[in-house]
Amino acid sequence: DIQMTQSPSSLSASVGDRVTITCRASQGISNYLAWFQQKPGKAPKSLIYAASSLQSGVPSKFSGSGSGTDFTLTISSLQPEDVATYYCQQYKSYPITFGGGTKVEIK
Amino acid sequence: QVQLVDSGGGVVQPGRSLRLSCAASGFTFSRHNFHWVRQAPGKGLEWVAFMSYDGSNEYYADSVQGRFTISRDNSKNTLYLQMSSLRTEDTAVYYCTRARSGYDFDAFDAWGQGTMVTVSS
């Protein structure tokens, strides 16, 4: 199975800050990488697919990059509505696996 | 608009069975693959099962292989998860998720609201 490791597990940043979350796969997954946002008590929301493509309706302040084993999710200017847990996921092979999540809070 | 409505959760004793449903609307159901994903209380996301657009292909997590069965009825626009021999560790919110296409390795793009399954004596 492909292991997905996210860092940090949590972060606290100020409104307007640029926030970066990293995700590392235990083996190469090309660009079969997705990012999800989950707000407390809600279902996850799909943000990015194919490592860097935005899902329909997702604001452009979210961006993704990377290929192979190392990936990043960036929020260009953190806002209170971005408080959530963010998960990466590989869909290169089954079983599909998720990272452990990064909890983002406002300082 | 795309809508996925999960239902069928509840409280069940260990060893018993339960069937979850996901009713889809707002798109052509038969053109998309689907998955079930679960989340234990306070934990992260865990992929559970996959079914192809035409029902010809399915995959399972090792943790549910042999106990859970995914199925779909394209005439009813509904996805199912039959869960048998339930264990306390199966306690979670279960989400139906849609893949972007009928290709086996494509991203998720829509989620149901989830249905809670509690396995307890």
Side-chain angles (χ1 to χ4, degrees):
Chain A
D1 298 2
I2 298 174
Q3 308 303 316
M4 305 301 292
T5 304
Q6 279 183 243
S7 60
S9 57
S10 66
L11 67 87
S12 181
S14 300
V15 171
D17 280 355
R18 182 182 183 89
V19 169
T20 298
I21 298 168
T22 64
C23 179
R24 175 164 289 176
S26 61
Q27 63 190 78
I29 58 171
S30 183
N31 68 338
Y32 288 81
L33 191 283
W35 290 97
F36 303 93
Q37 174 194 64
Q38 187 177 34
K39 296 183 178 181
K42 300 294 187 182
K45 175 185 176 182
S46 299
L47 294 179
I48 287 171
Y49 67 97
S52 60
S53 297
L54 253 59
Q55 292 279 2
S56 176
V58 173
S60 59
K61 64 178 174 179
F62 293 98
S63 63
S65 65
S67 183
T69 59
D70 294 310
F71 303 86
T72 60
L73 172 70
T74 300
I75 307 172
S76 60
S77 177
L78 187 69
Q79 299 300 312
E81 62 267 24
D82 302 326
V83 168
T85 299
Y86 293 83
Y87 295 92
C88 64
Q89 177 216 48
Q90 68 79 19
Y91 52 98
K92 177 71 165 58
S93 68
Y94 288 89
I96 287 173
T97 47
F98 292 87
T102 296
K103 188 174 184 179
V104 174
E105 298 176 322
I106 300 289
K107 191 180 296 181
Chain B
Q1 73 280 19
V2 173
Q3 190 168 16
L4 301 173
V5 178
D6 300 321
S7 63
V11 179
V12 61
Q13 293 179 327
R16 304 298 291 266
S17 299
L18 201 62
R19 189 179 81 159
L20 307 183
S21 299
C22 170
S25 60
F27 63 98
T28 305
F29 181 75
S30 61
R31 290 182 180 175
H32 292 264
N33 296 339
F34 277 85
H35 303 257
W36 287 97
V37 172
R38 68 185 181 183
Q39 186 171 36
K43 302 298 184 182
L45 301 171
E46 178 188 15
W47 173 79
V48 173
F50 160 90
M51 172 144 277
S52 60
Y53 66 99
D54 59 357
S56 65
N57 219 3
E58 53 195 85
Y59 305 117
Y60 296 93
D62 286 347
S63 58
V64 307
Q65 179 78 49
R67 301 187 299 121
F68 289 11
T69 302
I70 189 172
S71 62
R72 63 190 295 162
D73 186 336
N74 285 350
S75 68
K76 295 182 178 179
N77 291 346
T78 303
L79 180 76
Y80 302 99
L81 185 68
Q82 178 67 48
M83 304 185 295
S84 303
S85 301
L86 282 161
R87 305 168 180 168
T88 55
E89 56 263 36
D90 296 318
T91 294
V93 176
Y94 286 74
Y95 297 101
C96 159
T97 77
R98 187 186 81 163
R100 294 178 65 244
S101 70
Y103 174 54
D104 275 13
F105 304 95
D106 206 347
F108 303 175
D109 66 353
W111 296 69
Q113 87 286 3
T115 187
M116 182 70 204
V117 174
T118 302
V119 184
S120 173
S121 54

